[in-house]
Amino acid sequence: SQQGEEDPQALSIQEGENATMNCSYKTSINNLQWYRQNSGRGLVHLILIRSNEREKHSGRLRVTLDTSKKSSSLLITASRAADTASYFCATGSGGSYIPTFGRGTSLIVHP
Amino acid sequence: NAGVTQTPKFQVLKTGQSMTLQCAQDMNHNSMYWYRQDPGMGLRLIYYSASEGTTDKGEVPNGYNVSRLNKREFSLRLESAAPSQTSVYFCASSPERGIEQFFGPGTRLTVL
């Protein structure tokens, strides 16, 4: 069964706008990762945030983690057409730390 | 560096046939993984290898076997393919388990 669930399932915005997608999970985690997948390609790692961290930045990406609400958000600022992709959260928990992926958010950025 | 490579890129099988999906990484990573991706289901873990010489079942291991041939290579075998195994298969590796994973380009498998 999948641990993380992304919301919304699909998001359509104009270039230059910000895109926010959320991930909720059910049990305690050790870390949470966000990945991007362009159509027909393998996943690419974006950010890893540990359970004792609240916010991380990488370029135009900002990830927050609220362990009390068991949720995370990924914000992409000033979106570009090249950001069009599916975005997945992956939670690592228990002793194995093996990430469990959600179903993803499909983001379309219109030029 | 090639990263993670997978062969073949595409494959069509008939029900009952067998095949092996190959995966290799050149990043000296300890951990390797096999996932399947189906529409609307995200990625589901089939098997993983935390380190050379070890393999463990993931969420959906039935109908599959794996071999960690050496530190570089991790193969996935379908002994008797079924239409339910039609999917896109991704191999991934990471320096250690539970951290950033690097994915291969995938193998698109169709079982008729």
Side-chain angles (χ1 to χ4, degrees), chain A residues 66-86:
Chain A
D66 187 334
T67 53
S68 67
K69 295 182 179 178
K70 293 186 169 60
S71 68
S72 173
S73 67
L74 170 67
L75 168 67
I76 304 173
T77 59
S79 295
R80 305 167 181 167
D83 294 326
T84 293
S86 292

Side-chain angles (χ1 to χ4, degrees), chain A residues 2-11 20-26 32-37 43 46 70-74 85-91 99-107, chain B residues 37 40-43:
Chain A
Q2 275 144 333
Q3 164 80 305
E5 291 294 336
E6 294 89 345
D7 173 67
Q9 285 187 313
L11 183 59
T20 299
M21 50 207 89
N22 304 295
C23 173
S24 59
Y25 55 91
K26 295 175 182 168
L32 186 146
Q33 303 179 61
W34 284 93
Y35 287 81
R36 183 187 76 233
Q37 184 180 34
L43 279 71
L46 297 176
K70 293 186 169 60
S71 68
S72 173
S73 67
L74 170 67
S86 292
Y87 292 82
F88 295 87
C89 69
T91 53
T100 302
F101 287 82
R103 289 182 168 85
T105 291
S106 176
L107 172 66
Chain B
Q37 185 176 32
M41 293 296 294
L43 272 78

